[in-house]
Amino acid sequence: MTLTPESADWLQDISGATSIEEVHHVQTLWSGYGQILRVRLNQPHWPNQASSTDASKFTSVIVKQISPPALEEQGGGHPRGWNTSQSHHRKLRSYEVESAFYSHHARRCEASCRVAKCLGQADFPSGQIMVLEDLNQAGYPVRHQGLDATGVDQGLRWLANFHASFLHTVEQADRWKDLWPIGTYWHLSTRPDEFDAMPSGELKDAANKLDNRLNQSEFQTLVHGDAKVTNMCFATKPNTPPAMVDFQYVGRGCGMKDVAYFLSSCVSESECQRNESRYLATYFEALRNAMSTRGIEQAEFTSLEISWRKLYPVAWADFVRFLEGWCPGHAKLTGYSRRMVESALDSLDDQHGHSHSD
């Protein structure tokens, strides 16, 4: 697996490199939709980069080559067998969304919610190509499968700063129309096959109501949409916030979707149970500080915190709904996630059963 000749010519052209030194395969994209490569360049000077300091420093870059298989050729490409036309079109759209995020929105992300710099994008007959800064070269070479308390806090702070950067009102929804109207890869309207496969029961019956509560939250931001620990790149320098990759499912939503999903990806059930209040306190403290530095008033933060804390179990339940249809024996279907589902279902009952204002 290597660069296609047309991609290699184009990369040399946009980077000003005298040659391409090495190409290493990093990983194949989900369901065989392309590949990620690390490419070493000889003496690049990046004519499209504004500052001269940037112009020569990107000697190593990440190239994301998207070359989807034709639907009829997919066969058993999906690890769990979900090869449908809907799934194919969702993946194609996800790469368009990622391209739009890097082109139009990523510049809002500061050091507190670091993302890779996008150095170039193009479409070829063989597929789409995206060139990104190599975060390993930029000082973020550490990857984790699970996290200790410090790592969890760093991840939650990244999310809080990202969410603060993209908070908006319903009237401002149009500014994100090139992204998913509802962020996350598991949201209900894009997962009818998995919903049909769910066992019947209370959670399935309540799926639409839970989805609506998240979508109609008064406070909306952009959610990363796949904020798992393996998409975080940690720095070698202590106390440096991590960087995040993989923005295929970024879109509007309640920040709790990212928080619940992130915690499900990096800490055990017992740690989630034991430290839930501390994790949420860390996130909301970071969010308050980030909103404050962006000139958002304390009163608005207080309202948002009250609203989003109530939606934390709802976000968990929404993710569990997806897992129950997609992979019923999944390791994330724990006692803790079940308790979150019960709490979310109880909150729906409270809404309907009481007339008092909460």
Side-chain angles (χ1 to χ4, degrees):
M1 284 191 168
T2 186
L3 283 168
T4 62
E6 61 185 0
S7 300
D9 288 347
W10 172 80
L11 179 57
Q12 249 187 277
D13 192 36
I14 65 158
S15 66
T18 53
S19 62
I20 289 172
E21 284 189 357
E22 290 174 29
V23 180
H24 290 292
H25 181 258
V26 178
Q27 69 183 78
T28 301
L29 296 177
W30 185 253
S31 295
Y33 273 62
Q35 59 186 336
I36 295 177
L37 305 168
R38 176 172 280 111
V39 180
R40 293 262 325 266
L41 301 168
N42 194 22
Q43 297 181 327
H45 56 84
W46 296 99
N48 65 341
Q49 292 306 307
S51 72
S52 56
T53 51
D54 281 357
S56 59
K57 75 176 183 182
F58 301 111
T59 53
S60 176
V61 294
I62 295 296
V63 174
K64 196 165 185 174
Q65 278 192 162
I66 297 121
S67 44
L71 187 56
E72 62 274 9
E73 293 169 8
Q74 286 181 36
H78 193 289
R80 301 201 186 274
W82 293 101
N83 288 308
T84 63
S85 170
Q86 173 124 15
S87 145
H88 178 64
H89 291 299
R90 184 176 57 247
K91 289 189 198 72
L92 295 183
R93 174 71 184 132
S94 79
Y95 293 114
E96 291 172 5
V97 164
E98 183 170 45
S99 170
F101 174 77
Y102 279 116
S103 294
H104 306 134
H105 309 296
R107 64 180 71 96
R108 284 181 179 238
C109 297
E110 298 164 358
S112 56
C113 51
R114 180 78 153 79
V115 303
K117 192 174 181 109
C118 183
L119 301 169
Q121 302 190 54
D123 289 300
F124 293 113
S126 57
Q128 183 187 338
I129 187 169
M130 194 180 298
V131 183
L132 299 167
E133 167 189 17
D134 182 353
L135 288 167
N136 282 13
Q137 187 184 44
Y140 299 83
V142 183
R143 308 290 182 273
H144 294 298
Q145 294 296 317
L147 293 174
D148 61 11
T150 302
V152 175
D153 286 355
Q154 287 181 326
L156 289 169
R157 288 193 191 103
W158 188 98
L159 289 173
N161 280 280
F162 182 79
H163 295 155
S165 301
F166 294 100
L167 279 170
H168 59 274
T169 62
V170 175
E171 296 76 41
Q172 296 167 322
D174 265 9
R175 67 170 65 167
W176 320 112
K177 61 178 181 288
D178 53 353
L179 307 176
W180 290 102
I182 301 169
T184 73
Y185 68 81
W186 62 88
H187 76 82
L188 188 58
S189 63
T190 60
R191 292 294 184 167
D193 302 327
E194 292 84 349
F195 180 73
D196 290 344
M198 264 183 92
S200 52
E202 273 189 287
L203 180 55
K204 189 169 189 173
D205 293 344
N208 278 302
K209 288 178 185 168
L210 295 167
D211 184 54
N212 286 337
R213 279 197 66 192
L214 291 165
N215 298 341
Q216 291 165 10
S217 166
E218 177 191 351
F219 298 96
Q220 297 281 320
T221 183
L222 292 189
V223 292
H224 176 280
D226 193 8
K228 58 192 174 194
V229 62
T230 49
N231 280 334
M232 281 192 171
C233 308
F234 290 84
T236 42
K237 198 189 291 182
N239 304 318
T240 303
M244 185 79 94
V245 297
D246 200 353
F247 287 87
Q248 288 170 230
Y249 289 95
V250 65
R252 298 182 64 237
C254 162
M256 291 293 97
K257 290 165 118 177
D258 276 343
V259 171
Y261 180 72
F262 169 65
L263 292 175
S264 82
S265 80
C266 66
V267 296
S268 69
E269 174 189 9
S270 59
E271 285 172 309
C272 236
Q273 182 68 37
R274 192 169 60 248
N275 296 319
E276 177 192 301
S277 60
R278 189 180 70 75
Y279 293 151
L280 288 175
T282 296
Y283 170 80
F284 282 113
E285 180 191 4
L287 186 64
R288 185 181 69 232
N289 293 339
M291 286 172 68
S292 173
T293 61
R294 288 161 178 80
I296 300 170
E297 292 178 14
Q298 174 67 35
E300 186 168 347
F301 166 75
T302 303
S303 302
L304 181 149
E305 181 179 12
I306 291 166
S307 170
W308 279 11
R309 277 184 179 271
K310 289 177 185 172
L311 291 173
Y312 174 71
V314 177
W316 265 99
D318 184 59
F319 182 55
V320 169
R321 177 265 312 152
F322 162 71
L323 288 179
E324 283 197 355
W326 186 66
C327 180
H330 200 285
K332 290 181 182 179
L333 294 172
T334 63
Y336 177 78
S337 65
R338 298 271 170 231
R339 284 190 288 279
M340 291 292 102
V341 170
E342 284 167 23
S343 174
L345 294 174
D346 286 348
S347 74
L348 291 180
D349 290 342
D350 288 347
Q351 264 198 329
H352 298 298
H354 299 99
S355 58
H356 70 265
S357 164
D358 55 7

